[in-house]
Amino acid sequence: MNEAIQQTQLKQRAIKNILIVDDDPEMCETLGDILEDRGYAVSIAQDGKTALEALRRNRFDLVMIDIMMPGMNGVETLNQIKAVNPSVMTLIMTGHSKLEGFVSEALWSGVDGILYKPFDVAAVIEMIERKSGTRVDLPLVDLKGFEVSQSALELVPEDLARKYTLLPLRVEDGYLVVAMADPTNLYAIEDLRVRTGLNVRPVRATSEDIERAIVRYYQAELEIERQIERITPLTTDVDFDTAERLSAEVVAQTPIARAVQLMIHQAVRDQASDIHIEPQEKHLRIRYRIDGVLHETMSLPLRVHAPLLSRIKVLANMNIAERRRPQDGQFTVEVGGRPVDIRVATINSIYGEMAVLRVLDKSVSVRALDELGFLPDMQEAYQKVIHAPWGIVLVSGPTGSGKTSTLYASLNQLDRDENKIITIEDPVEYRFEGITQVQVNRQAGITFASGLRAAMRLDPDIILVGEIRDQETASTAVQASLTGHLVFSSIHANDSVGSLLRLIDLGVEPFLVTSSLLAVLSQRLVRRVCDHCREEREIPDAERAVYERETGETRTRFEYGRGCSYCAGTGYRGRIAVMELLIMNDELRRLVLRNANSDDIQAAALRAGMRTMLKDGMLKAKMGITTPTEVLKKVFALY
């Protein structure tokens, strides 16, 4: 930039005259020379009294005050200056070794900024230019573009980050770079400086981005490890069985209870469906299932295995002394003020007892049909089916394929005022207003079959049975549908045709199947492409060939996630269902009555317009919702 342009900019500055108040002549001279070289007019006062006299005689745009001076200290001088000229900008200059209380008083007095000795010249000029208005306000940054340093995160506790809505990004040249929703919050900056011992360099980000990033980056692992270290260690000569017996004493300690709480809280934040606690030969492995994929999140010392399992058993009302037989239980915790159900199952392995905790967040609202993954034509056909006056509608798929979500979304479409709706579930995962929900309780004699028989005597219009898994439940569901009830249920089968044949395999006569079954919806969950890092990419020839076979068109590039902080580097965030809907028609009924094989029934269903899960998935890949890789991984083996 040439001299003429520099002079033009200086004329536009809001700050021209600067008063330095400090009893250190050498420092005043050095700082004054630097500022004068930048085009500012600089005056110097050796103490507060002299500064006040100068302010009464001359107009200053900025006063820089040393916090510790003989006579009036910096805070007293600041207050007097504000009384003489309330509009003048003020900066406090302080050394790191000085009392922090003075800085706090200065903040309360309304100081406009704080500079720390020894001065970083660039930082001094940057602050003055920002205050002068020649430097544009800090630009808004996108946190996806930042690599957040773990060492920076460790410097700032999560509660402090949430209090001030900020996220530490990295340590750079002795500065802590921090994303802040309000970079002008001097209290937050000073608090960070005191806690970390580093000067703070703020950048601006939106509150929403920072809050999401806090959830992402502040993992519970470090805090859990700190709690683990506080657990009273057992002596090295205690054998494993003795350690197990002593676990009841250790489990009462607050650290292990806190560790379990943090583990569950982190799982809810990460939207994990399961927590796996797995003892290995030399460590305890903790894994979370997120979007259907297991991610190892922690590796803990084996000495915490016994107390950790004991704490979970106590919460779930399980037998703390029983380690060799499988057990199950459940408990409810509060996370962020909302209830979360935890279902626990344990079994003994060669390295000790393992546990899986299923996380059921009750605050997650039941999704609508159009949020599940239905393409418009299939959704229209399915909605016609579920408004039938009677019959059976089945949803099939393996565990974790979203069957319950689809059944709940289906019930949400139905009129609860004109219809009596009863559900028999194990467990009741979500509460519905206006619907009678019954929990399976085998000790009380309430199973799916007995609950269904009882529900039929309660004048229902619509019944939901959690699962058809035996002949008794299947036969009772068929009878309920034939007597004028609309029955929804799930069944474990690979695809829609397999579900139809599974009913026959359970002992339901083919003529009863053809008389009662309306439709079968089969589904799998595939991961969504992350919206924050999607990009087009070439796909392998094998995937391209399958796509071309299913859709009849050639395409070589699809959207994939590159991997970013929002998706933990996976390229995927969230899941969506790929589906196939088999609606019974006369040809299918004839084939079932003739005991036709699955291939013949599949061919007839395709002729009638059924779209396979594989094709449905490829259409969603075409739309950029998921990827061919993900579809083939979840569905291809079926075809």
Side-chain angles (χ1 to χ4, degrees):
M1 186 179 292
N2 59 41
E3 187 174 346
I5 296 176
Q6 286 181 334
Q7 292 299 321
T8 302
Q9 286 194 340
L10 288 177
K11 291 177 183 178
Q12 295 172 342
R13 285 182 172 167
I15 293 177
K16 297 180 181 178
N17 301 311
I18 298 175
L19 175 63
I20 301 174
V21 187
D22 198 316
D23 61 337
D24 183 347
E26 186 177 340
M27 192 284 299
C28 289
E29 183 178 354
T30 302
L31 182 58
D33 289 344
I34 293 171
L35 294 175
E36 285 175 349
D37 288 343
R38 295 277 177 159
Y40 296 101
V42 179
S43 299
I44 295 173
Q46 300 293 324
D47 54 39
K49 183 178 179 181
T50 308
L52 290 170
E53 292 173 355
L55 275 165
R56 290 187 179 100
R57 292 194 309 269
N58 303 303
R59 179 184 176 276
F60 292 98
D61 305 306
L62 173 66
V63 182
M64 303 173 67
I65 312 162
D66 182 40
I67 202 164
M68 294 296 288
M69 294 183 297
M72 286 191 297
N73 64 39
V75 177
E76 292 169 338
T77 303
L78 170 67
N79 289 327
Q80 292 290 330
I81 287 173
K82 288 288 186 182
V84 172
N85 186 351
S87 63
V88 70
M89 288 189 184
T90 53
L91 297 179
I92 281 288
M93 301 181 292
T94 180
H96 289 288
S97 60
K98 303 305 179 184
L99 295 174
E100 304 299 343
F102 284 104
V103 176
S104 298
E105 288 183 43
L107 289 171
W108 282 109
S109 298
V111 72
D112 294 295
I114 301 169
L115 291 169
Y116 296 98
K117 301 177 181 179
F119 292 128
D120 180 332
V121 174
V124 174
I125 299 302
E126 180 183 359
M127 179 174 287
I128 292 175
E129 289 184 346
R130 191 181 301 132
K131 298 297 181 184
S132 73
T134 61
R135 183 178 292 268
V136 180
D137 192 16
L138 292 174
L140 190 68
V141 299
D142 186 348
L143 291 182
K144 297 192 301 295
F146 281 87
E147 280 293 329
V148 177
S149 163
Q150 185 63 38
S151 59
L153 289 170
E154 292 173 8
L155 290 171
V156 182
E158 181 182 355
D159 57 349
L160 193 69
R162 291 184 179 279
K163 177 182 177 181
Y164 294 124
T165 315
L166 57 84
L167 181 73
L169 300 176
R170 60 181 178 269
V171 177
E172 184 178 81
D173 300 329
Y175 281 83
L176 178 63
V177 182
V178 180
M180 301 180 67
D182 180 11
T184 64
N185 188 339
L186 296 179
Y187 300 99
I189 292 172
E190 176 62 15
D191 199 353
L192 280 180
R193 190 197 67 79
V194 171
R195 288 173 184 255
T196 64
L198 296 169
N199 287 332
V200 176
R201 181 172 292 158
V203 297
R204 192 162 61 95
T206 65
S207 299
E208 184 180 8
D209 273 2
I210 291 174
E211 287 166 1
R212 278 202 300 257
I214 288 172
V215 171
R216 261 194 330 275
Y217 287 112
Y218 276 97
Q219 302 293 316
E221 181 178 359
L222 292 174
E223 180 61 24
I224 289 174
E225 289 178 353
R226 282 194 286 267
Q227 297 295 336
I228 293 300
E229 289 173 0
R230 294 173 55 197
I231 297 173
T232 304
L234 303 174
T235 57
T236 54
D237 58 346
V238 174
D239 60 31
F240 184 79
D241 288 337
T242 306
E244 289 277 3
R245 289 195 298 273
L246 289 172
S247 66
E249 301 171 14
V250 179
V251 78
Q253 299 184 32
T254 301
I256 197 67
R258 175 69 175 151
V260 172
Q261 181 187 36
L262 288 168
M263 194 179 298
I264 294 171
H265 281 222
Q266 188 61 49
V268 173
R269 287 180 186 175
D270 291 345
Q271 299 179 0
S273 60
D274 302 87
I275 305 171
H276 290 242
I277 302 172
E278 304 163 324
Q280 306 297 301
E281 184 176 5
K282 296 181 179 179
H283 68 280
L284 182 64
R285 181 169 67 170
I286 310 295
R287 296 194 289 174
Y288 292 165
R289 188 178 294 279
I290 302 171
D291 291 339
V293 178
L294 281 170
H295 300 269
E296 184 167 343
T297 58
M298 280 171 272
S299 179
L300 302 177
L302 271 178
R303 66 182 176 84
V304 305
H305 174 224
L308 192 67
L309 263 290
S310 295
R311 173 61 182 168
I312 292 169
K313 287 181 177 179
V314 167
L315 291 172
N317 292 316
M318 296 160 66
N319 186 349
I320 193 174
E322 179 57 69
R323 305 187 305 276
R324 293 174 176 83
R325 293 180 181 176
Q327 295 189 70
D328 58 77
Q330 65 182 59
F331 61 95
T332 301
V333 295
E334 274 202 5
V335 178
R338 62 184 191 268
V340 176
D341 278 349
I342 307 294
R343 290 159 58 187
V344 183
T346 65
I347 193 170
N348 201 31
S349 71
I350 60 172
Y351 294 122
E353 200 171 14
M354 69 161 286
V356 175
L357 283 62
R358 170 63 58 88
V359 181
L360 301 170
D361 188 350
K362 293 182 177 181
S363 70
V364 177
S365 59
V366 175
R367 300 168 74 182
L369 281 178
D370 56 4
E371 297 175 315
L372 298 178
F374 282 98
L375 294 180
D377 57 339
M378 189 184 295
Q379 181 175 338
E380 183 181 356
Y382 182 71
Q383 284 184 314
K384 288 180 181 177
V385 168
I386 65 176
H387 284 88
W390 58 269
I392 297 178
V393 178
L394 292 179
V395 179
S396 74
T399 301
S401 60
K403 299 188 298 297
T404 301
S405 295
T406 300
L407 290 170
Y408 282 163
S410 302
L411 288 186
N412 253 351
Q413 293 284 308
L414 304 175
D415 191 331
R416 305 176 201 175
D417 295 326
E418 294 186 0
N419 293 309
K420 169 78 170 183
I421 303 176
I422 299 177
T423 73
I424 300 100
E425 304 173 62
D426 184 24
V428 176
E429 296 184 10
Y430 299 97
R431 306 293 195 268
F432 285 89
E433 187 177 350
I435 292 178
T436 302
Q437 295 175 270
V438 179
Q439 169 75 53
V440 167
N441 186 342
R442 290 173 180 79
Q443 292 180 341
I446 302 175
T447 62
F448 284 123
S450 64
L452 179 55
R453 285 196 301 272
M456 289 170 62
R457 297 192 289 270
L458 298 172
D459 188 30
D461 297 293
I462 300 164
I463 304 173
L464 184 149
V465 185
E467 183 183 345
I468 293 177
R469 62 176 66 163
D470 53 46
Q471 180 180 4
E472 185 181 10
T473 307
S475 299
T476 308
V478 168
Q479 292 301 322
S481 69
L482 292 176
T483 53
H485 305 96
L486 180 61
V487 179
F488 289 90
S489 190
S490 68
I491 192 167
H492 284 285
N494 285 332
D495 56 15
S496 297
V497 174
S499 303
L500 190 155
L501 298 178
R502 174 70 175 146
L503 277 181
I504 298 173
D505 184 59
L506 286 173
V508 180
E509 293 291 339
F511 75 91
L512 292 176
V513 172
T514 59
S515 302
S516 60
L517 187 63
L518 295 174
V520 181
L521 179 72
S522 189
Q523 64 182 62
R524 297 288 187 279
L525 292 179
V526 296
R527 291 181 292 175
R528 288 177 175 268
V529 177
C530 176
D531 288 329
H532 298 282
C533 62
R534 58 173 63 238
E535 62 182 16
E536 280 202 348
R537 186 188 305 172
E538 291 279 345
I539 63 171
D541 291 340
E543 294 180 11
R544 187 161 58 243
V546 175
Y547 175 83
E548 184 175 348
R549 188 192 74 198
E550 292 297 319
T551 64
E553 65 176 54
T554 301
R555 180 169 173 173
T556 60
R557 297 179 66 83
F558 289 84
E559 289 191 344
Y560 281 75
R562 182 179 61 256
C564 66
S565 58
Y566 280 80
C567 58
T570 64
Y572 298 97
R573 185 167 175 81
R575 289 191 291 176
I576 192 170
V578 293
M579 304 166 165
E580 66 181 27
L581 177 63
L582 183 153
I583 299 177
M584 293 297 289
N585 59 23
D586 290 340
E587 183 181 5
L588 290 172
R589 292 187 181 97
R590 284 194 295 270
L591 289 171
V592 171
L593 288 172
R594 294 206 307 263
N595 292 318
N597 61 40
S598 60
D599 290 340
D600 291 341
I601 297 175
Q602 175 91 358
L606 292 174
R607 287 195 298 273
M610 184 184 81
R611 183 167 58 238
T612 66
M613 280 186 284
L614 184 56
K615 183 174 182 178
D616 190 64
M618 287 301 176
L619 290 176
K620 290 181 171 107
K622 177 182 178 180
M623 297 164 66
I625 298 172
T626 186
T627 65
T629 304
E630 187 71 7
V631 173
L632 292 178
K633 184 167 71 173
K634 297 292 184 182
V635 183
F636 183 66
L638 301 175
Y639 299 93

